[in-house]
Every structure is written in structure tokens, then in C-alpha cells.
Amino acid sequence: MSDSAFHYVDGVLHAEGVSAASLAEQFGTPLYVYSRDALTQAYRAYADACAGRNATVHVAVKANSNLAVLNVFARMGAGFDIVSSGELARVIAAGGRAEHTVFSGVGKSAAEMREGLEAGVKCFNVESIPELHALNEVAKSLGKKAPVSLRVNPDVDAKTHPYISTGLKSNKFGVAFSDARATYAQAQAMDHLDVVGIDCHIGSQITEISPYLDALDKLLELVGQIEADGMRIRHIDVGGGLGITYDDETPPAIGDFVTTLLDHIGKRGHGAREVYFEPGRSLVGNAGVLLTRVEYLKPGEEKNFAIVDAAMNDLARPAMYEAFHRIVPVVKRDAAAQTYDVVGPVCESGDWLGRDRELALVPGDLLAICSAGAYGFVMSSNYNTRPRAAEIMVDGERARLVREREEVKQLFAGESILPD
Ligand code: LLP
């Protein structure tokens, strides 16, 4: 978690100027807490490194799509990267602009394409020939030309978790590198498409720069070929994926990452092209924590369990990817620590949030699950008919509710029983 935004004051965890214990008291648990300052600092690190360099930041909405979070970025002039018309609606509602938004995703429906075109999105990142045809048809029906970029799969190993690696041949994403030139030629031949760029995204939680440079080299080679075929590639979208520190990872600093990529593109003679970045996790991941309360301590023969009120439906990453999140006490306790598996109340053995954690606990204690700002709330569900958590944004000394806690009756409000 961001050490400047989340820190201890007299043994009590604070989010900026507000005690996490008082937040839990006031808003209940489980509770997502975001720091405006941490969001701002992460965005500035990208924006400052891009300044004066013909490069722009498109916030990947999927990582955290709360309107208040998106609005913090929109106010700073961010563009956005979306993967559904739902995310487009959120961007607009949060004060973002369609003309600064790129529409990614491997399975856009015709309705989503129409909404994107009508709103005037900046570019569609297209991933297959059938999708090119579909977009061409939709654009024709609206009497428009759709700006397109092909997501090319550069077949590089981002050395990350297999579920979040996307740039390998075996992944469902992108157009195969060997087919890309011919696919561009097909796009060029379609009357209602306007080829404007090239795109890739090789994975997520990437902690080294070298896979990006390998991917870029392949992309730039292709750009030369495509332009020889008579198209003009105005922008290069390098995707997102920069990792964060959950435990002891040491990813490059945001500014160094941006500068290294831009310098690399410049050295290869492509400096005149606009470069898009699509970061998600590195903007929001360490700007959020999930607060939870210990319900029961359950000693066992092999393991001790701390059963807390947050679960896999609130934070799916441990269950889905065996992901590690640090878990720290909200109020430090001067007592002997024991080893616990921190688990939720959901009826699945996969419902764990942390394993083998050294903690000094009594029932009722509050814990903070760190680095929960990215792919946290957005991946939450109502499994076990559990209402989703509330979300709070802290700004200096103030805390604002930015999403109300769900109520059980909302969860089945759209359901009905058979009349006979
Ligand atoms: N652009 C595209 C096209 C993407 O598919 C993604 C993420 C991003 C940008 C942002 O990547 P980031 O900077 O956040 O790494 N649920 C997983 C992560 C899935 C990432 C999917 N794509 C997790 O919790 O680790």
C-alpha cells in the first residue's frame, strides 16, 4: 500500500488524515478505503513523465471503476481505456470524455460498437477479422468511419501469473503477429474503417521492463511493414500491465518505466508517433485497502483460522490467482502473535484472504487487507447473497462515502417467483 497515504499514527492505521478505526466505526465493514492523494500521485507520475513527449495516459477502467475514482483522474485530464459500454457510461458519468477514450476488448457486441461510435470514442482496439467486419458494418449503418487499431499479439512472455499473461500465442487475445500485416491490409480495404494505430497488451502485474521492449521491437517492425503497404500508423498503444509491490516485488518506478519506453521508441526512429499508456493496477492498486473485522478465532490441529467479515466475494484475487495481499492490524496490539489463515465466511475452502500470517488478534479486531485498490471491488460478487461492501474516498482530513453498502433486499429486487 502507498506508505504516504496509509501509515500508522500512535499505533493506529490512518488513511491520509483519517483513522481507519474511525472509518470502520462510522461506515461498517467490510469497507473499501481509497486515498485521493495516492491516486493523484500515481497519475502524476505517469502524466509528468509523458509531459512534452507526445504521450497520453488512458486509465484502464476495469481496475477500479468507482465514479469518484474515475473522476479524480478525469479532473487531471486523463483519457480512459474501456472494455464494455457499461464502462463507457461510467467514464461519461464521471466527467471523462469519449473522444479521449479507447475501446478495447476481445468480444465487443454490435450494440457496444454502436454506442462507442455514437459517443465518438477515439479508437477501437480490434482483436480479430470477424470483429473488423462487424465494426465496419456498424459504422456503415451509422454513416461513419470507425477509427481502428489492431491489438497485435507479440508472443512475448511477460513472466507473470498465467491467468493474467495475455501476450503469448496461447492466449485468446489479439491478432497473431504472423497474421497482423495481412489483417491490416483487410482493415484498409473496408470502407467504414480508418486505420489509425497499433496496440498491444502483454499482461498484468509485470515487474520487469524487458518484455515491454521485446514487444515494442516487434510492433515497430510491423509498423514499418504496414506503412509500406500504404497505411499511416499515428499512434502506438503499449497497453497497461506495470506491476506494483504487494509483498517484496520491485517493479520499475512509473516515471522510469514511461521514460524507458518512450526513449526506446525514439531511438528506433518512431518518436513522432503518439504513444498511449493504459495503466490500471499501477494507478489504483496501492491507493486502496479493504478493512475487515475479525468475527471468530478458531484454533485447529494444523491451522489457526481468523474468520473475518470480508470474503472471496469481496476480494476475489487470493481465491482466483492465489494472490498475496499484506494483512496488517488497524490497531497494533502488544501481544504475542500467532500464525493464522485469514478466511471469510463463504462456504468454500477457497475462501481465504491470506495464509500463514503472523498476527496478534482478539475477536472484534480490525484488519486492513493492503493493495486492494485494483481488481478488488470491481471483481466482487454477491455470492452467498452477501451485499457488496461500501467504498470510501479519503481526501486529507475528510472521508466521503462514494458507494453505499448494498442491502440484501436490493440483491433480489429484480427476481420474481412463478405465479402458479
Ligand atoms: N489494457 C488492457 C487491454 C487490459 O486488458 C488490461 C488489463 C489493462 C490495460 C490494465 O492492466 P494493468 O495495468 O491493470 O495491469 N484481474 C487481474 C488482472 C486482469 C488484467 C486484465 N487486463 C488481477 O486481479 O490481477
Side-chain angles (χ1 to χ4, degrees), residues 208-235:
E208 290 169 41
I209 291 192
S210 60
Y212 284 99
L213 302 183
D214 295 345
L216 266 178
D217 284 340
K218 296 189 90 168
L219 242 53
L220 296 178
E221 176 195 327
L222 201 56
V223 167
Q225 296 170 359
I226 300 162
E227 294 207 326
D229 294 342
M231 281 159 274
R232 170 96 183 88
I233 299 298
R234 294 201 286 268
H235 75 255

Side-chain angles (χ1 to χ4, degrees), residues 1 39 77 108 117 185 216 221 236 239 245 279 303 313-314 320 364:
M1 66 189 168
L39 296 170
K108 302 170 202 75
L117 275 168
L216 266 178
E221 176 195 327
I236 301 170
T245 303
K303 291 224 166 219
N313 75 294
D314 299 299
M320 259 179 106

Side-chain angles (χ1 to χ4, degrees), residues 139-382:
K140 184 177 170 189
S141 72
L142 295 174
K144 293 189 179 227
K145 266 196 157 202
V148 296
S149 191
L150 283 189
R151 174 166 173 179
V152 175
N153 186 338
D155 193 26
V156 298
D157 184 358
K159 302 185 182 78
T160 182
H161 190 285
Y163 281 13
I164 51 178
S165 167
T166 52
L168 284 169
K169 266 188 195 159
S170 52
N171 295 129
K172 71 176 174 182
F173 297 102
V175 174
F177 187 78
S178 52
D179 298 337
R181 188 174 184 177
T183 310
Y184 264 101
Q186 291 209 30
Q188 188 189 22
M190 296 186 199
D191 289 341
H192 292 273
L193 300 185
D194 187 14
V195 171
V196 293
I198 192 163
D199 168 49
C200 76
H201 172 79
I202 56 174
S204 198
Q205 184 54 14
I206 300 170
T207 51
E208 290 169 41
I209 291 192
S210 60
Y212 284 99
L213 302 183
D214 295 345
L216 266 178
D217 284 340
K218 296 189 90 168
L219 242 53
L220 296 178
E221 176 195 327
L222 201 56
V223 167
Q225 296 170 359
I226 300 162
E227 294 207 326
D229 294 342
M231 281 159 274
R232 170 96 183 88
I233 299 298
R234 294 201 286 268
H235 75 255
I236 301 170
D237 184 336
V238 298
L242 180 63
I244 61 170
T245 303
Y246 284 98
D247 184 11
D248 53 7
E249 305 90 334
T250 51
I254 291 170
D256 294 342
F257 166 75
V258 168
T259 305
T260 305
L261 262 58
L262 293 179
D263 287 351
H264 190 80
I265 293 170
K267 272 189 225 139
R268 297 275 184 288
H270 292 267
R273 297 178 213 278
E274 190 177 346
V275 177
Y276 296 180
F277 290 89
E278 291 176 1
R281 190 189 315 266
S282 51
L283 287 172
V284 295
N286 274 326
V289 300
L290 172 61
L291 300 184
T292 184
R293 198 177 283 280
V294 177
E295 301 272 22
Y296 303 105
L297 295 178
K298 187 173 172 186
E301 266 180 38
E302 282 188 20
K303 291 224 166 219
N304 298 317
F305 293 100
I307 303 171
V308 299
D309 65 2
M312 64 188 286
N313 75 294
D314 299 299
L315 179 68
R317 301 192 72 256
M320 259 179 106
Y321 317 115
E322 302 200 332
F324 178 92
H325 287 259
R326 267 166 54 203
I327 301 180
V328 298
V330 168
V331 181
K332 283 187 182 163
R333 181 182 291 287
D334 231 358
Q338 288 197 51
T339 307
Y340 291 100
D341 275 13
V342 179
V343 301
V346 163
C347 301
E348 301 244 7
S349 298
D351 180 26
W352 58 275
L353 299 166
R355 286 182 169 147
D356 299 325
R357 303 304 173 88
E358 295 292 315
L359 292 161
L361 295 176
V362 298
D365 276 359
L366 290 165
L367 295 170
I369 303 172
C370 304
S371 313
Y375 307 108
F377 184 88
V378 286
M379 289 174 65
S380 65
S381 77
N382 294 121

Side-chain angles (χ1 to χ4, degrees), residues 61-123:
V61 173
K62 64 167 76 71
N64 188 322
S65 59
N66 182 284
L67 294 191
V69 172
L70 300 182
N71 175 257
V72 166
F73 295 130
R75 287 185 203 215
M76 291 189 285
F80 293 93
D81 167 63
I82 57 166
V83 290
S84 70
S85 54
E87 288 190 352
L88 176 59
R90 281 185 177 273
V91 166
I92 307 290
R97 292 169 53 186
E99 60 272 30
H100 293 166
T101 298
V102 294
F103 203 148
S104 301
V106 68
K108 302 170 202 75
S109 69
E112 289 182 312
M113 291 172 175
R114 198 171 311 114
E115 285 176 46
L117 275 168
E118 283 172 344
V121 299
K122 183 169 168 183
C123 183

Side-chain angles (χ1 to χ4, degrees), residues 29 57 193 227 262 391 401 409 418:
T29 53
V57 186
L193 300 185
E227 294 207 326
L262 293 179
E391 293 174 287
L401 182 66
K409 64 176 190 285
L418 296 180

